[in-house]
Every structure is written in C-alpha cells, then in structure tokens.
Amino acid sequence: RQMCIRDRNMITGYLAPTGGTVAIDGHDVQEEPKEAKACIGYLPEIPPLYTDMTVQEYLLFVSELKGKKKKADRVQDVAQAVQRAGLQEMEKRLIRNLSKGYRQRVGIAAALLGSPKVIILDEPTAGQDFRHYTDIMEFLRGLNEQGVTVVMITHDMHLMLEYTPRALVFCDGQLIADRSAAAVLCDPELIEQ
C-alpha cells in the first residue's frame, strides 16, 4: 500500500524518483511539472466533494483550482467532463442528493477536467454495490477505449482479474512483476512475496 502511494506521488511529481525519470506524454514530471500535471487526473479513494454544491458548481470550482482562469474556459472544460462522465442529467442537482455511485462519477468527472491523458484512481469501486461497481468499471473501460490511460490502485483481486489486462506488483519499493492479472494470481511465489 505504501509503495502505491509513493508511486502515485512520483507520477504526479510530488516526489522525485530515486533513479531514472518519470515522463507523462513526453513531459518529465520534475523538469516540466506544469505540463506533466496537465496530462494527469487523480481521484482519491474518498473524493473531497462539497455536498452543498451542485455538480456543475463543484466542477467549475475544481476547474478553477486546476488553473482555468477564464470563466468561458471553465464552462467548456466542465461541459466536456460532464459529458464524458455521463452526468448530463445531474448537473443542477446537489451532490448530497446523489447516490454514492453518482458521487463517484462526479469525482471521476473532476479527474477528467482538462482532458488528461492519464487518470489515477485509488480504489474506484470501494463501497459500491454490484450495479454501481459494474457501471463505474464499464465507464472506465470506455474511457480507456477512447485513449485515456487508466491506472487503478486496488486491493480487489476480482476487479483486477475482470478488468485489468496488465498488473504491476510492488514489494519493498521494487517492481517485482509486470504480467497479466491471472499470471500474477497464479504464481504462489509471487503471492508469498
């Protein structure tokens, strides 16, 4: 778990790698942090949603925090994220009145602001019932098919088996496996590590 947190912080440029470089879309996260961060969207395990705001108000607020200064740019950014997250019918609703599944989608929409090339999701299905779990994962699969790289941090091995073609396993700060999810889970030595 700790390694996942450090890796996320290296990808986003908050921590420098001890060796080599981390680049997103050709931008070194240490040398060109603004350009690299613009390529990344992040959804924490528990999104920091302001529940007394409408979906649109919240996303406009987050877009401004991400550096969009002009209102017209923020409105356009939010409209694109709302459409990609399938929230068109929810824009005027208060976040507190949404189901947990739709709140998660609002968090994903916030991560999609600025049309990032990579989104990092920490436990994207935590606390979801099967229907919302499936909805979120199918939505993420669709984003991936549109060219967005989806990085998930998860302890849910069923989720990993069902939805991830590639699993990276870390132990004591080192990458110890880069294989299919099934190959990882069928390797007793690797599981022991």
Side-chain angles (χ1 to χ4, degrees), residues 90-159:
M90 304 289 172
E91 283 183 277
K92 303 296 181 197
R93 293 188 57 192
L94 289 173
I95 293 172
R96 72 169 170 245
N97 295 335
L98 299 178
S99 69
K100 190 168 185 179
Y102 275 109
R103 285 183 189 191
Q104 191 76 341
R105 277 197 187 214
V106 173
I108 292 170
L112 290 171
L113 289 167
S115 300
K117 298 185 182 337
V118 177
I119 59 171
I120 303 169
L121 305 143
D122 192 351
E123 300 290 353
T125 59
Q128 302 290 326
D129 62 24
F130 182 73
R131 188 178 124 243
H132 288 113
Y133 169 105
T134 304
D135 286 349
I136 288 169
M137 291 311 300
E138 289 303 317
F139 169 70
L140 293 172
R141 187 190 313 245
L143 281 178
N144 185 246
E145 289 169 358
Q146 294 170 29
V148 177
T149 298
V150 178
V151 178
M152 288 187 296
I153 302 165
T154 187
H155 292 95
D156 184 340
M157 296 302 104
H158 291 99
L159 173 99

Side-chain angles (χ1 to χ4, degrees), residues 35-85:
E35 293 82 355
K37 286 179 185 175
C39 298
I40 301 168
Y42 173 62
L43 176 67
E45 186 171 350
I46 301 171
L49 301 176
Y50 295 88
T51 60
D52 288 334
M53 291 180 166
T54 66
V55 169
Q56 185 178 44
E57 289 168 340
Y58 173 72
L59 294 174
L60 285 167
F61 170 68
V62 173
S63 182
E64 186 173 8
L65 289 177
K66 287 187 168 190
K68 296 276 183 179
K69 299 299 179 200
K70 295 180 183 174
K71 185 171 183 177
D73 292 343
R74 290 194 307 271
V75 168
Q76 181 180 3
D77 194 26
V78 167
Q80 289 173 340
V82 162
Q83 184 171 2
R84 290 180 86 185

